[in-house]
PDB file of all heavy atoms in Angstrom:
ATOM      1  N   THR A  46       2.908  46.529  10.845  1.00  0.00           N
ATOM      2  CA  THR A  46       3.900  45.748  11.590  1.00  0.00           C
ATOM      3  C   THR A  46       5.253  46.447  11.511  1.00  0.00           C
ATOM      4  O   THR A  46       5.673  46.875  10.440  1.00  0.00           O
ATOM      5  CB  THR A  46       4.003  44.322  11.019  1.00  0.00           C
ATOM      6  OG1 THR A  46       2.725  43.697  11.093  1.00  0.00           O
ATOM      7  CG2 THR A  46       5.007  43.491  11.778  1.00  0.00           C
ATOM      8  N   THR A  47       5.923  46.551  12.647  1.00  0.00           N
ATOM      9  CA  THR A  47       7.219  47.240  12.699  1.00  0.00           C
ATOM     10  C   THR A  47       8.369  46.242  12.639  1.00  0.00           C
ATOM     11  O   THR A  47       8.198  45.045  12.894  1.00  0.00           O
ATOM     12  CB  THR A  47       7.356  48.055  13.998  1.00  0.00           C
ATOM     13  OG1 THR A  47       7.367  47.141  15.110  1.00  0.00           O
ATOM     14  CG2 THR A  47       6.220  49.053  14.151  1.00  0.00           C
ATOM     15  N   GLU A  48       9.535  46.766  12.329  1.00  0.00           N
ATOM     16  CA  GLU A  48      10.748  45.959  12.306  1.00  0.00           C
ATOM     17  C   GLU A  48      11.024  45.354  13.681  1.00  0.00           C
ATOM     18  O   GLU A  48      11.497  44.226  13.786  1.00  0.00           O
ATOM     19  CB  GLU A  48      11.936  46.839  11.884  1.00  0.00           C
ATOM     20  CG  GLU A  48      12.690  46.282  10.711  1.00  0.00           C
ATOM     21  CD  GLU A  48      13.805  47.209  10.265  1.00  0.00           C
ATOM     22  OE1 GLU A  48      13.509  48.254   9.671  1.00  0.00           O
ATOM     23  OE2 GLU A  48      14.970  46.849  10.510  1.00  0.00           O
ATOM     24  N   GLU A  49      10.739  46.099  14.733  1.00  0.00           N
ATOM     25  CA  GLU A  49      10.963  45.622  16.095  1.00  0.00           C
ATOM     26  C   GLU A  49      10.088  44.414  16.410  1.00  0.00           C
ATOM     27  O   GLU A  49      10.534  43.460  17.050  1.00  0.00           O
ATOM     28  CB  GLU A  49      10.701  46.746  17.110  1.00  0.00           C
ATOM     29  CG  GLU A  49      11.729  47.853  17.079  1.00  0.00           C
ATOM     30  CD  GLU A  49      11.518  48.843  15.920  1.00  0.00           C
ATOM     31  OE1 GLU A  49      10.403  48.900  15.336  1.00  0.00           O
ATOM     32  OE2 GLU A  49      12.488  49.545  15.584  1.00  0.00           O
ATOM     33  N   GLN A  50       8.827  44.427  15.952  1.00  0.00           N
ATOM     34  CA  GLN A  50       7.932  43.293  16.163  1.00  0.00           C
ATOM     35  C   GLN A  50       8.446  42.059  15.418  1.00  0.00           C
ATOM     36  O   GLN A  50       8.404  40.946  15.946  1.00  0.00           O
ATOM     37  CB  GLN A  50       6.521  43.625  15.687  1.00  0.00           C
ATOM     38  CG  GLN A  50       5.796  44.636  16.538  1.00  0.00           C
ATOM     39  CD  GLN A  50       4.489  45.039  15.900  1.00  0.00           C
ATOM     40  OE1 GLN A  50       4.469  45.663  14.844  1.00  0.00           O
ATOM     41  NE2 GLN A  50       3.381  44.666  16.532  1.00  0.00           N
ATOM     42  N   ILE A  51       8.904  42.264  14.211  1.00  0.00           N
ATOM     43  CA  ILE A  51       9.428  41.153  13.410  1.00  0.00           C
ATOM     44  C   ILE A  51      10.672  40.589  14.078  1.00  0.00           C
ATOM     45  O   ILE A  51      10.822  39.370  14.225  1.00  0.00           O
ATOM     46  CB  ILE A  51       9.722  41.619  11.968  1.00  0.00           C
ATOM     47  CG1 ILE A  51       8.410  41.992  11.280  1.00  0.00           C
ATOM     48  CG2 ILE A  51      10.460  40.548  11.191  1.00  0.00           C
ATOM     49  CD1 ILE A  51       8.588  42.748   9.985  1.00  0.00           C
ATOM     50  N   TYR A  52      11.567  41.471  14.515  1.00  0.00           N
ATOM     51  CA  TYR A  52      12.786  41.020  15.182  1.00  0.00           C
ATOM     52  C   TYR A  52      12.448  40.230  16.447  1.00  0.00           C
ATOM     53  O   TYR A  52      13.044  39.178  16.708  1.00  0.00           O
ATOM     54  CB  TYR A  52      13.695  42.205  15.514  1.00  0.00           C
ATOM     55  CG  TYR A  52      14.995  41.769  16.136  1.00  0.00           C
ATOM     56  CD1 TYR A  52      16.053  41.343  15.336  1.00  0.00           C
ATOM     57  CD2 TYR A  52      15.156  41.740  17.509  1.00  0.00           C
ATOM     58  CE1 TYR A  52      17.236  40.910  15.898  1.00  0.00           C
ATOM     59  CE2 TYR A  52      16.336  41.305  18.085  1.00  0.00           C
ATOM     60  CZ  TYR A  52      17.372  40.893  17.275  1.00  0.00           C
ATOM     61  OH  TYR A  52      18.539  40.452  17.838  1.00  0.00           O
ATOM     62  N   ALA A  53      11.502  40.711  17.249  1.00  0.00           N
ATOM     63  CA  ALA A  53      11.131  40.033  18.487  1.00  0.00           C
ATOM     64  C   ALA A  53      10.647  38.608  18.222  1.00  0.00           C
ATOM     65  O   ALA A  53      10.986  37.678  18.961  1.00  0.00           O
ATOM     66  CB  ALA A  53      10.060  40.828  19.221  1.00  0.00           C
ATOM     67  N   LEU A  54       9.863  38.408  17.167  1.00  0.00           N
ATOM     68  CA  LEU A  54       9.355  37.076  16.845  1.00  0.00           C
ATOM     69  C   LEU A  54      10.434  36.189  16.232  1.00  0.00           C
ATOM     70  O   LEU A  54      10.661  35.065  16.677  1.00  0.00           O
ATOM     71  CB  LEU A  54       8.163  37.181  15.893  1.00  0.00           C
ATOM     72  CG  LEU A  54       7.570  35.853  15.414  1.00  0.00           C
ATOM     73  CD1 LEU A  54       7.010  35.054  16.587  1.00  0.00           C
ATOM     74  CD2 LEU A  54       6.500  36.090  14.370  1.00  0.00           C
ATOM     75  N   PHE A  55      11.128  36.693  15.230  1.00  0.00           N
ATOM     76  CA  PHE A  55      12.052  35.857  14.477  1.00  0.00           C
ATOM     77  C   PHE A  55      13.358  35.581  15.226  1.00  0.00           C
ATOM     78  O   PHE A  55      14.017  34.586  14.964  1.00  0.00           O
ATOM     79  CB  PHE A  55      12.319  36.474  13.102  1.00  0.00           C
ATOM     80  CG  PHE A  55      11.181  36.260  12.154  1.00  0.00           C
ATOM     81  CD1 PHE A  55      10.067  37.075  12.195  1.00  0.00           C
ATOM     82  CD2 PHE A  55      11.195  35.222  11.241  1.00  0.00           C
ATOM     83  CE1 PHE A  55       8.995  36.873  11.347  1.00  0.00           C
ATOM     84  CE2 PHE A  55      10.135  35.008  10.385  1.00  0.00           C
ATOM     85  CZ  PHE A  55       9.025  35.829  10.443  1.00  0.00           C
ATOM     86  N   SER A  56      13.726  36.413  16.170  1.00  0.00           N
ATOM     87  CA  SER A  56      14.954  36.171  16.925  1.00  0.00           C
ATOM     88  C   SER A  56      14.786  35.032  17.925  1.00  0.00           C
ATOM     89  O   SER A  56      15.767  34.546  18.480  1.00  0.00           O
ATOM     90  CB  SER A  56      15.413  37.442  17.641  1.00  0.00           C
ATOM     91  OG  SER A  56      14.463  37.830  18.604  1.00  0.00           O
ATOM     92  N   LYS A  57      13.561  34.571  18.132  1.00  0.00           N
ATOM     93  CA  LYS A  57      13.340  33.413  19.002  1.00  0.00           C
ATOM     94  C   LYS A  57      13.890  32.131  18.387  1.00  0.00           C
ATOM     95  O   LYS A  57      14.115  31.152  19.094  1.00  0.00           O
ATOM     96  CB  LYS A  57      11.853  33.258  19.309  1.00  0.00           C
ATOM     97  CG  LYS A  57      11.325  34.378  20.175  1.00  0.00           C
ATOM     98  CD  LYS A  57       9.865  34.233  20.448  1.00  0.00           C
ATOM     99  CE  LYS A  57       9.421  35.420  21.308  1.00  0.00           C
ATOM    100  NZ  LYS A  57       8.026  35.349  21.655  1.00  0.00           N
ATOM    101  N   CYS A  58      14.105  32.128  17.086  1.00  0.00           N
ATOM    102  CA  CYS A  58      14.629  30.944  16.401  1.00  0.00           C
ATOM    103  C   CYS A  58      16.145  30.984  16.227  1.00  0.00           C
ATOM    104  O   CYS A  58      16.741  29.983  15.851  1.00  0.00           O
ATOM    105  CB  CYS A  58      13.975  30.794  15.027  1.00  0.00           C
ATOM    106  SG  CYS A  58      12.235  30.423  15.131  1.00  0.00           S
TER     107      CYS A  58
END
Side-chain angles (χ1 to χ4, degrees):
T46 301
T47 65
E48 234 177 287
E49 290 79 18
Q50 290 173 294
I51 294 167
Y52 183 83
L54 177 63
F55 284 81
S56 64
K57 292 179 181 182
C58 293

